[in-house]
Each structure stands twice: as C-alpha cells, then as structure tokens.
Amino acid sequence: MNYTNLPHTDIEVSKICLGTMTWGNQNTEAEGHEQMDYALEQGVNFFDTAELYPIPAAAERYAHTEKIIGTWFKKNRNREKMVLASKIVGRSPATSFIRTTGFNRESITAAVEGSLKRLQTDYLDLYQLHWPDRVTNYFGKRGYQYDGTDLWEDNFHQILETLRDLIREGKIRQVGISNETPWGTMRYLEESKVHHDLPRMITIQNPYSLLNRLYEVGLAEISHREDLGLLAYSPLGFGVLSGKYLGGRQPKDGRITLFPNYNRYSGETAVKATEMYHKLAMENGLSLAQMSLAYVNSRPFVTSNIIGATNLEQLKENIESIHIDLSDEVLQGIEAIHNQIPNPAP
C-alpha cells in the first residue's frame, strides 16, 4: 500500500480509501465487516462514511452504515489504527427525513454527536459537509444556473465557527468539504485565512474518473496552489468502468440494474468512451477497472481514491490497482480518448 498525509496534517492515510455506502442495503453487516477486515489486512487504514449511508437514502435505513462500522470497532477494538471520515447530510427534499435546518450550529452538533454514537468512537479524524447548503451545481449538474429560488444566506463563517468549537471539544480533528464548487471552496479557504481562529478545509470529496474529469477545470489548480487534497469518489463511475455493463449487460446485482435512476455514467457518449477505454486496457494487458483506478491513483491532486465494492472479489481487484504503474503509452492513449470524448458524464 502507498500512503500520504492529509494535507496540512501529520495524519497518514492509505492512497486507497474504503468507501462504505452500500453497507446496510446491498451489503449485510457481516459483509461490511469482511470488507473492513480484508482492507485492513491489505494496508488500507482510511474509511469514509456518512450519516446518509447506505445509498439510496431511506428513512428505514438511516445511518445503518455507520452502525455497521461501529460494531466492527467494538468487536476489534482497533479504532486507533484507523483514520475515519464521515459527513453531515446537506439540505434537500430527499433528505428531509433526517433534518431540514441546513448547516446551522444545532444541526452540525447533533449530526456529529449522532455519528460518534453510532460509530462507537469518541472522535472523527475528518468531518465533511456532504454537499453545499446552497443551490448550486453538484450531483451530475454540469453548469450553474440561478433560478431565484435559493433562499440561502452566506453562512461560511458560522459553519467554520461551529466546526472550530467541535475541534476544541475533541470530537473532530480535521474538516473537509464534498461536492463543492471552486467558488465555495475558495470562500471556505479565504474565510479561514482572514480569521485565523477558524479551521481550514483540508480535503474535498468530489467525483473524479476517466468519465468525469471536470475536477481538472477549476478545482485542480486550487488543489495545487492551496494544498487541498481530493478524495476522489466514483472512480469507477457507479461500476460502469468495471466493464460489467458493456454490451448492454445488466448484472442482477449491479448498482445500475438495481437502481436505474443512477444513470449519470450510462449515457450514449459515456458508453462509447467506456468501450474505447476498455479496448485500450485490453490491448495493454490490464482490466478496465484497474486501469481506471490506477489513473486516479496517479493524479498529483488526489490524496486518496475512495473505492467501493459489493463483494470481496471486486474489493481485491480494486485494492490491487495501487500496484499498477501505467506506462506512457497507456497514459497517452487515455489522453487521446479524453480529447476525443471529454467528460462524457457530469
């Protein structure tokens, strides 16, 4: 396993992070425990979760993923070996069963304390805002369009004040953002520069894959100049870049088969690009999944690559991507495809 540090900290994390959003829905508690056992054996010391998980979100399954991780910690008594990240859900009609108050002091505090209880731990190493409190472009929306319905008022300072107090209480160590735009990212960073007592956002968890390299447009420069680490999620595009849906296949346990509305990476252009990437991988003796993950692993702005799996074989293949160094020929082939079909999925 390769390791790096969360930016601006001495917290060492594996370059591969174990994503957990299927546990409690597509995966049982026993399967979640099995995945954590195997990942730890392979040197993965970084787990990412959220109060929203498992996905798709539902009131009857609220926070089941965190509970599964909590029982694993209780059983193994190894919390100190792991770097643990979680998130507070953003405001949305789809998450109104959790709360409707947005990121005010009461909601953030309650969310942190709820996660700590379910995870059976006293602290979180990284706490993230799952998506912006305001209406903007995220979750597959390519561009920003103001429609006049957003009643949001600037609350960057207040959010950071609340997070600062939770850090002082020892409940969280570091903070990050997720599904954020360049504007929102810089607002957080500038707020903590001007007000030195406020915590600095050190990571951003956004989608990044061969099918979606939009991070490179505005946020990659911020990563470079501000030392903000990307925690790349959906590096296989909901499993599309595993190749299992090629040829119109619909594997019965596949995420897109089970949840057809998760079709962000399944449009005609994305399928064409996937076919081209698959051909490139085959020509170079690689699986599509491992080439796709190895590419993400190699990007200089990526602090950790969040992989997910619904079975142990997938998990093994995904973790083994850390041992693959892509040749110049493969990298040039990837760029040629990207130039021909840039960012087919948002």
Side-chain angles (χ1 to χ4, degrees):
M1 183 53 60
N2 297 335
Y3 298 89
T4 186
N5 281 11
L6 293 180
H8 307 277
T9 79
D10 60 358
I11 301 174
E12 187 177 67
V13 295
S14 49
K15 194 74 175 185
I16 297 291
C17 174
L18 182 61
T20 63
M21 71 177 186
T22 61
W23 304 351
N25 186 357
Q26 289 175 263
N27 289 107
T28 65
E29 179 181 52
E31 289 168 341
H33 284 199
E34 182 182 41
Q35 287 193 28
M36 286 184 279
D37 288 340
Y38 180 79
L40 182 58
E41 289 170 5
Q42 300 306 307
V44 174
N45 75 336
F46 191 16
F47 295 169
D48 177 74
T49 192
E51 65 168 341
L52 183 65
Y53 297 164
I55 297 292
E60 64 272 17
R61 294 189 297 271
Y62 169 60
H64 280 195
T65 303
E66 287 189 328
K67 294 174 184 177
I68 288 171
I69 297 171
T71 57
W72 186 79
F73 280 139
K74 182 178 181 181
K75 177 177 69 175
N76 291 286
R77 301 185 182 278
N78 59 354
R79 171 67 182 90
E80 71 285 352
K81 294 182 179 180
M82 310 307 302
V83 178
L84 181 61
S86 193
K87 313 178 198 72
I88 178 175
V89 71
R91 180 164 36 185
S92 164
T95 59
S96 60
F97 65 89
I98 300 175
R99 68 181 66 84
T100 60
T101 49
F103 295 152
N104 61 26
R105 176 173 290 272
E106 292 74 20
S107 64
I108 295 174
T109 301
V112 168
E113 291 176 349
S115 288
L116 292 176
K117 182 177 181 180
R118 291 184 292 268
L119 290 161
Q120 302 197 47
T121 183
D122 296 326
Y123 67 97
L124 290 162
D125 297 285
L126 178 67
Y127 197 63
Q128 305 154 100
L129 310 176
H130 208 149
W131 61 84
D133 215 13
R134 63 195 189 279
V135 176
T136 186
N137 49 308
Y138 51 80
F139 290 144
K141 184 178 178 182
R142 283 187 181 274
Y144 173 73
Q145 292 179 328
Y146 179 67
D147 62 6
T149 64
D150 186 8
L151 301 179
W152 172 80
E153 295 181 1
D154 190 315
N155 59 350
F156 290 94
H157 190 92
Q158 292 85 351
I159 289 171
L160 289 172
E161 279 188 330
T162 302
L163 293 172
R164 175 201 64 196
D165 294 344
L166 289 164
I167 290 172
R168 290 175 176 174
E169 293 171 19
K171 294 176 180 178
I172 57 179
R173 297 176 68 189
Q174 300 291 337
V175 292
I177 46 182
S178 180
N179 296 295
E180 202 31 290
T181 67
W183 182 81
T185 300
M186 287 307 302
R187 279 289 287 109
Y188 277 115
L189 293 175
E190 290 302 314
E191 197 71 33
S192 59
K193 286 180 184 178
V194 173
H195 303 280
H196 296 163
D197 65 322
L198 297 181
R200 187 189 199 283
M201 295 297 186
I202 62 167
T203 58
I204 178 170
Q205 185 175 148
N206 275 30
Y208 185 75
S209 71
L210 291 179
L211 297 177
N212 179 354
R213 291 169 53 178
L214 290 169
Y215 190 86
E216 298 171 8
V217 176
L219 283 162
E221 184 179 11
I222 296 175
S223 280
H224 169 68
R225 299 191 186 280
E226 302 290 339
D227 194 16
L228 179 79
L230 173 62
L231 306 180
Y233 81 78
S234 287
L236 291 180
F238 296 164
V240 169
L241 286 168
S242 71
K244 64 186 177 183
Y245 299 104
L246 286 175
R249 293 194 297 269
Q250 293 288 315
K252 63 182 179 66
D253 296 327
R255 185 166 193 76
I256 299 171
T257 306
L258 294 171
F259 313 114
N261 59 315
Y262 281 74
N263 58 3
R264 191 188 316 174
Y265 301 91
S266 303
E268 182 179 346
T269 309
V271 170
K272 182 179 179 181
T274 301
E275 291 170 346
M276 295 171 70
Y277 286 122
H278 181 256
K279 183 174 183 290
L280 176 65
M282 294 298 100
E283 290 172 347
N284 288 274
L286 298 166
S287 75
L288 175 58
Q290 290 197 331
M291 184 184 80
S292 301
L293 293 171
Y295 183 79
V296 175
N297 295 341
S298 71
R299 298 303 87 190
F301 44 79
V302 172
T303 293
S304 195
N305 185 2
I306 304 175
I307 62 167
T310 52
N311 62 64
L312 210 55
E313 289 307 309
Q314 291 174 351
L315 184 62
K316 290 177 180 178
E317 180 180 23
N318 293 351
I319 291 177
E320 285 171 5
S321 71
I322 198 64
H323 303 300
I324 295 174
D325 292 320
L326 299 179
S327 68
D328 289 342
E329 180 182 1
V330 171
L331 291 172
Q332 290 166 8
I334 287 173
E335 291 307 311
I337 296 169
H338 178 65
N339 288 336
Q340 184 175 344
I341 310 179
N343 300 315

